[in-house]
Amino acid sequence: MADTTLAGPSAAATAGSKSEQAYHAVKKQIVDGTYSPGYRLVLAKIAEDLGVSVVPVREAIRRLEAEGLVTFERNVGATVAGIDPTEYLYTMQTLSIVEGAATALSSPLIGPDDIARARSVNEEMRACLEHFDPVRFTRLNQDFHSVLFENCPNPHILDLVHRGWNRLASLRSSTFRFVPGRAQESVEEHEALLQLIQSGADAADIERAARLHRSATLDAYLSQTKNI
Amino acid sequence: MADTTLAGPSAAATAGSKSEQAYHAVKKQIVDGTYSPGYRLVLAKIAEDLGVSVVPVREAIRRLEAEGLVTFERNVGATVAGIDPTEYLYTMQTLSIVEGAATALSSPLIGPDDIARARSVNEEMRACLEHFDPVRFTRLNQDFHSVLFENCPNPHILDLVHRGWNRLASLRSSTFRFVPGRAQESVEEHEALLQLIQSGADAADIERAARLHRSATLDAYLSQTKNI
DNA sequence: AGATATGAAATCGTATACGAACACTAGGTC
DNA sequence: GACCTAGTGTTCGTATACGATTTCATATCT
């Protein structure tokens, strides 16, 4: 299965350093929800928990800030970044663009076995709809697209996709939970996308489909909030 | 005129801090070419030059690393990042995507006065062709697109555009210099793009045109290197 | 001579320490 | 009672110090 730990930023240089360790530790806890949005990240406390000094922790926090996972205020401190409706819109819109591009760029390199694997993941997602397992659903959704992106010829774009996913992590399964029916649609769109790729469709058509797949989720959210 | 100092990353939080000062100072010198690719960035030396200690400098360097402007190797140090043909391809491809999207998203908000300003910049660019002033040409090129992006409704995408531009800064005017005729084409494409926007064309058409405008430069480079 | 080992110099990575800025409470004043 | 003010505690920002690692030059061995 594709590794959805979500590779760090382009800069993974200093592996093994305490700063690196702190970065991964804090990131993990943000992405998996241990630290919720708004949680106050006190340098000294994190340093003590990890058994290191504040300097590497500070560096780690600043890196997470650059990725949008924490917000930093001078002389005040860091808090786990939430994602307000505006930020959500920006992030989803950007994701629709970069995911569309990543899918289109990868499509010529996607083989029958990849299609089969992706389809199998999608069927698992369908099963999640029955059991109502939104957390697993979200994870499988990333797996699905990760399979398609495995051979993406442009790592920069892939990196942007991963950043967007991390940015959305604080929402967990909210779109799944709050927009009923969207998850079902999503599974169908996945299948349609696979067939499009399988049929050797034009890259532009694949890009459009992949982009719409993401923006439909955004639209579903927008139209719902408008109706309330 | 549009400010092409190229806004920093989303995180401009700690304005006024020494770390911030160091960040801007080093970034400026990388972007304007004072530090060429491969230049060894020694923390202690930069710290002394700026009159601060190494800790904030280190933080600044790590931020620049995250933006791809410097490469960092553990226990060895930082060097100004070069851009090899592969990186160039990745960056240009990504730029074509995000610039295309930024242009399309901005287009409904571009008014007649914006068009006029952009056209005036483009005419300056045309003049640069006569005087053969590649550095100014590159700068004006950014100005041109900055005018179009001024009202971009998605700051995330704009940020990606700026990052790409910074990343290419180390090349200076190489595309202009090495692909004769491309600059001329570029000016013509700008004018065509303006007319497309002015005519109220479909966002999809505008996006395609803007994307091709960037990828044509990449293609020109690729076909030239192939011929050698 | 070429390759390998050894030492010194340079540079990084992190701990510790301390001054500075902010938040919050308590007390006083109108 | 509401508002302002002083004081205290918390947390950040940066300087300094030192051990760890790499690099480079020199010496030694085959």
Side-chain angles (χ1 to χ4, degrees):
Chain A
M1 185 51 56
D3 174 22
T4 42
T5 314
L6 306 190
S10 17
T14 56
S17 68
K18 300 198 176 179
S19 145
E20 184 78 6
Q21 170 198 342
Y23 168 77
H24 284 300
V26 176
K27 179 174 186 174
K28 183 166 183 286
Q29 292 186 284
I30 292 175
V31 172
D32 75 15
T34 308
Y35 295 153
S36 303
Y39 184 91
R40 188 72 186 286
L41 296 167
V42 179
L43 297 185
K45 188 175 179 309
I46 295 174
E48 194 183 349
D49 289 350
L50 297 177
V52 301
S53 90
V54 296
V55 177
V57 173
R58 180 182 166 86
E59 184 171 307
I61 299 283
R62 294 304 290 260
R63 265 174 80 184
L64 292 169
E65 183 199 13
E67 294 176 41
L69 293 180
V70 316
T71 56
F72 210 90
E73 200 177 346
R74 174 162 160 101
N75 283 324
V76 174
T79 56
V80 176
I83 188 162
D84 62 26
T86 305
E87 270 293 306
Y88 179 70
L89 191 150
Y90 294 157
T91 304
M92 289 291 278
Q93 198 173 50
T94 305
L95 259 183
S96 79
I97 289 155
V98 295
E99 283 180 339
T103 309
L105 287 171
S106 304
S107 61
L109 303 168
I110 296 175
D113 49 333
D114 299 317
I115 298 275
R117 276 192 305 148
R119 181 165 282 136
S120 135
V121 173
N122 199 38
E123 290 310 315
E124 280 190 74
M125 292 176 71
R126 203 186 292 278
C128 281
L129 290 176
E130 319 271 330
H131 314 134
F132 205 76
D133 188 347
V135 174
R136 184 165 159 72
F137 185 90
T138 301
R139 177 163 200 82
L140 287 171
N141 187 47
Q142 292 187 356
D143 286 345
F144 175 87
H145 290 286
S146 292
V147 171
L148 300 185
F149 296 159
E150 239 162 39
N151 301 315
C152 182
N154 190 325
H156 288 197
I157 292 172
L158 212 46
D159 209 57
L160 297 180
V161 171
H162 288 156
R163 286 200 185 206
W165 286 357
N166 282 336
R167 195 71 187 74
L168 292 177
S170 65
L171 291 172
R172 317 269 154 249
S173 50
S174 53
T175 55
F176 178 83
R177 184 160 44 223
F178 292 135
V179 185
R182 176 58 200 148
Q184 174 77 46
E185 280 176 23
S186 190
V187 172
E188 306 305 340
E189 286 168 14
H190 282 178
E191 179 55 34
L193 187 58
L194 289 181
Q195 290 182 11
L196 204 59
I197 294 171
Q198 206 162 15
S199 72
D202 200 44
D205 292 331
I206 292 172
E207 175 164 11
R208 183 162 38 245
R211 189 185 283 198
L212 282 174
H213 171 56
R214 169 64 66 178
S215 52
T217 302
L218 173 59
D219 291 343
Y221 163 79
L222 290 177
S223 66
Q224 178 190 260
T225 54
K226 199 188 301 177
N227 290 344
I228 290 177
Chain B
M1 186 50 55
D3 174 21
T4 42
T5 314
L6 306 190
S10 18
T14 56
S17 66
K18 301 198 176 180
S19 144
E20 185 78 4
Q21 171 198 342
Y23 168 77
H24 284 300
V26 177
K27 178 174 186 173
K28 183 165 183 290
Q29 293 185 284
I30 292 176
V31 172
D32 74 16
T34 308
Y35 295 154
S36 304
Y39 185 90
R40 188 71 185 286
L41 296 167
V42 178
L43 297 185
K45 186 175 181 309
I46 295 173
E48 194 183 349
D49 290 350
L50 297 176
V52 301
S53 88
V54 296
V55 177
V57 173
R58 180 183 166 85
E59 184 171 308
I61 297 285
R62 294 304 291 260
R63 263 174 81 182
L64 292 169
E65 183 199 12
E67 294 176 40
L69 293 180
V70 314
T71 56
F72 210 90
E73 201 178 344
R74 172 162 162 100
N75 282 322
V76 174
T79 56
V80 176
I83 188 163
D84 61 26
T86 305
E87 270 293 305
Y88 179 69
L89 192 149
Y90 294 157
T91 304
M92 290 290 280
Q93 199 172 51
T94 305
L95 259 183
S96 79
I97 290 156
V98 296
E99 284 179 337
T103 309
L105 287 171
S106 304
S107 62
L109 304 168
I110 296 175
D113 49 332
D114 298 318
I115 298 275
R117 276 192 303 146
R119 180 165 282 137
S120 137
V121 173
N122 198 38
E123 290 311 316
E124 281 191 73
M125 291 177 72
R126 203 186 292 278
C128 281
L129 289 177
E130 317 271 330
H131 314 133
F132 205 76
D133 188 347
V135 174
R136 184 164 158 74
F137 185 90
T138 302
R139 178 163 199 83
L140 287 171
N141 187 47
Q142 292 186 357
D143 286 343
F144 175 86
H145 290 286
S146 291
V147 172
L148 299 186
F149 296 159
E150 240 163 39
N151 301 316
C152 182
N154 190 324
H156 288 198
I157 292 172
L158 212 47
D159 208 59
L160 297 180
V161 172
H162 289 155
R163 286 201 184 204
W165 287 356
N166 281 336
R167 195 71 186 76
L168 292 178
S170 64
L171 291 172
R172 315 272 153 247
S173 51
S174 55
T175 56
F176 179 84
R177 184 162 42 222
F178 292 136
V179 185
R182 176 59 199 149
Q184 173 77 46
E185 280 176 24
S186 190
V187 171
E188 305 306 339
E189 286 168 13
H190 282 178
E191 179 54 34
L193 187 59
L194 288 181
Q195 291 183 11
L196 203 60
I197 295 171
Q198 207 164 11
S199 72
D202 199 46
D205 291 332
I206 293 172
E207 175 164 10
R208 185 164 33 246
R211 189 185 281 198
L212 281 175
H213 171 56
R214 170 64 66 180
S215 53
T217 302
L218 174 58
D219 291 342
Y221 163 79
L222 290 178
S223 67
Q224 178 189 261
T225 53
K226 200 190 296 176
N227 290 344
I228 291 176

